[in-house]
């Protein structure tokens, strides 16, 4: 089946982080208490408020969107729907090397309960990695893809991560930046093609940051090959600093087929840490998140059509 695709501008603020919130932000391990769960949910509410402020301050609502998880963000998902925002919902288990459904065989019921604009998966898939693992992941992802292609169901957003295999990294003497620049782009193309052959048909690909325009152009061409002309790409922030994220946004924005971005941690992490440490107020955190998100929108918009 050919995907429906999505071609409108799309500026996503993702805060579907789960394991990184529990351990990295809060320092908690093991099963959470109801109080701890509520505290993380409250932190995510701050991020959502920052997003809403950015829209109130001038970011085009039709281009704006959020990505959040059901575990800590169920109320936010419902509010986003009621307020008419584009919103994406995570379907994968957090922090696992292998893709699997967060809610197992009940995955469809959870998607239908919220009816998100996009159902999102994060998948680590290296075509030079474990072939059996890749086949198992692709089979699960095809189930989801086939389900989502049903009438009036959510669009499919696919976050593709291609972590280096040990031998691949050794080619660059352990230099991850060299791997990212010289090898990862072609591995990403190989991963997309393998997944397409396996019947996995996203409407939007979330792509790790690329340093070269030609790599962005190849990514779009691969995503849209074979009659997939309405499939688009958005660029990820990967938690990098502002300077690097600005570079990636600028490079991608100039390429037709890259319709936007998904930048999360670079936007909200520091303001949230500072708020929790008592260095800034909740209102100041909301304002800073809104400012950062608006800045990323301005960078992307400003770079559109640049040769």
């Amino acid at each position: 089946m050919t995907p429906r695709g999505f071609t409108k501008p799309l500026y996503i603020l993702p805060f579907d982080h789960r394991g990184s919130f529990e351990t990295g932000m809060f320092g908690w391990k093991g099963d959470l208490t109801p109080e701890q769960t509520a505290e993380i949910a409250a932190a995510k509410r701050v991020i959502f408020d920052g997003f809403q402020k950015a829209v109130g301050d001038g970011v085009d609502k039709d281009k704006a969107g959020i990505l959040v998880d059901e575990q800590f963000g169920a109320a936010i998902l419902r509010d986003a729907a009621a307020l008419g925002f584009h919103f994406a919902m995570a379907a994968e288990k957090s922090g696992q090397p292998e893709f699997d459904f967060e809610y197992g065989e009940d995955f469809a019921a959870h998607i239908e309960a919220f009816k998100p604009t996009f159902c999102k998966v994060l998948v680590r898939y290296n075509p030079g990695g474990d072939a059996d693992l890749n086949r198992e992941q692709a089979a699960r992802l095809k189930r989801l893809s086939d389900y989502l292609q049903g009438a009036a169901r959510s669009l499919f957003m696919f976050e593709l991560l291609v972590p280096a295999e040990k031998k691949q990294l050794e080619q660059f003497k352990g230099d991850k930046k060299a791997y990212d620049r010289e090898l990862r782009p072609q591995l990403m193309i190989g991963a997309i093609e393998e997944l397409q052959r396996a019947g996995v048909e996203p409407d939007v690909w979330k792509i790790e940051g690329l340093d070269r325009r030609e790599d962005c152009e190849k990514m779009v061409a691969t995503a849209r090959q074979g009659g997939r002309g309405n499939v688009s790409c958005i660029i990820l922030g990967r938690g990098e600093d502002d300077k690097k994220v600005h570079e990636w946004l600028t490079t991608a924005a100039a390429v037709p087929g890259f319709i936007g971005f998904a930048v999360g941690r670079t936007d909200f992490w520091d303001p949230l840490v500072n708020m929790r440490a008592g260095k800034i107020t909740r209102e100041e955190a909301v304002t800073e998140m809104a400012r950062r998100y608006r800045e990323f929108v301005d960078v992307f918009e400003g770079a559109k059509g640049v040769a």
Side-chain angles (χ1 to χ4, degrees), residues 16-18 22 32 37 44 68-75 77-78 88-94 96 98-116 119-121 140 143-144 147:
D16 58 324
H17 311 70
R18 284 153 282 169
E22 293 173 34
L32 299 179
T37 298
K44 296 202 172 197
V68 72
D69 56 288
E70 181 180 347
Q71 181 182 1
F72 300 116
L77 289 165
R78 286 190 284 269
M89 172 179 163
E92 80 281 350
K93 284 184 179 177
S94 176
Q96 292 201 162
E98 177 180 355
F99 168 78
D100 204 355
F101 294 104
E102 172 76 2
Y103 297 102
E105 291 300 311
D106 291 333
F107 72 88
H110 285 262
I111 296 167
E112 288 171 15
F114 291 94
K115 296 182 172 59
C119 176
K120 166 262 178 184
V121 294
R140 292 192 190 111
R143 283 188 65 198
L144 179 61
Y147 160 75

Side-chain angles (χ1 to χ4, degrees), residues 17-52:
H17 311 70
R18 284 153 282 169
S20 61
F21 256 67
E22 293 173 34
T23 58
M25 178 73 70
F26 289 85
W28 296 331
K29 295 181 180 179
D31 294 337
L32 299 179
T33 66
E35 292 77 16
Q36 288 172 325
T37 298
E39 191 171 342
I40 294 177
K44 296 202 172 197
R45 176 65 64 173
V46 177
I47 303 170
F48 185 49
D49 287 352
F51 168 80
Q52 291 182 88

Side-chain angles (χ1 to χ4, degrees), residues 96-227:
Q96 292 201 162
E98 177 180 355
F99 168 78
D100 204 355
F101 294 104
E102 172 76 2
Y103 297 102
E105 291 300 311
D106 291 333
F107 72 88
H110 285 262
I111 296 167
E112 288 171 15
F114 291 94
K115 296 182 172 59
T117 318
F118 300 95
C119 176
K120 166 262 178 184
V121 294
L122 181 152
V123 180
R124 295 170 177 84
Y125 189 108
N126 188 318
D130 187 318
D132 290 336
L133 173 61
N134 286 346
R135 278 192 293 270
E136 289 170 8
Q137 293 196 108
R140 292 192 190 111
L141 291 160
K142 184 180 186 303
R143 283 188 65 198
L144 179 61
S145 181
D146 289 348
Y147 160 75
L148 290 172
Q149 293 226 358
R153 293 201 176 114
S154 304
L155 295 168
F156 190 11
M157 179 180 286
F158 195 112
E159 180 173 350
L160 174 64
L161 302 183
V162 185
E165 293 289 313
K166 184 179 178 182
K167 289 183 179 179
Q168 292 168 346
L169 200 55
E170 285 172 353
Q171 294 178 41
F172 303 97
K173 299 180 181 178
D175 186 340
K176 290 185 178 180
K177 289 184 179 180
Y179 162 79
D180 278 340
R181 185 177 59 254
E182 303 301 332
L183 183 57
R184 177 166 58 79
Q186 69 189 67
L187 292 173
M188 294 166 77
I189 288 170
I192 292 172
E193 290 180 334
E194 284 188 11
L195 289 160
Q196 288 172 336
R197 287 195 295 270
V200 181
E201 296 289 358
D203 300 287
V204 175
W205 290 92
K206 291 179 67 181
I207 298 295
E208 292 182 89
L210 296 165
D211 294 325
R212 296 182 293 231
R213 178 185 174 122
E214 57 265 33
D215 289 327
C216 289
E217 291 171 340
K218 291 174 185 175
M219 218 60 61
V220 171
T222 305
R224 290 186 163 179
Q225 66 188 351

Side-chain angles (χ1 to χ4, degrees), residues 12 14 67 120-123 157-162 184 188 204-210 233-240 244-249 252 258 260-266 300:
I12 294 285
L67 163 59
K120 166 262 178 184
V121 294
L122 181 152
V123 180
M157 179 180 286
F158 195 112
E159 180 173 350
L160 174 64
L161 302 183
V162 185
R184 177 166 58 79
M188 294 166 77
V204 175
W205 290 92
K206 291 179 67 181
I207 298 295
E208 292 182 89
L210 296 165
C233 300
I234 59 178
I235 204 78
L236 303 184
R238 291 212 312 182
E240 285 283 357
K244 192 63 186 178
V245 170
H246 285 192
E247 290 175 6
W248 284 338
L249 295 180
F258 268 90
F261 60 79
V263 178
R265 284 173 294 171
T266 313
F300 194 90

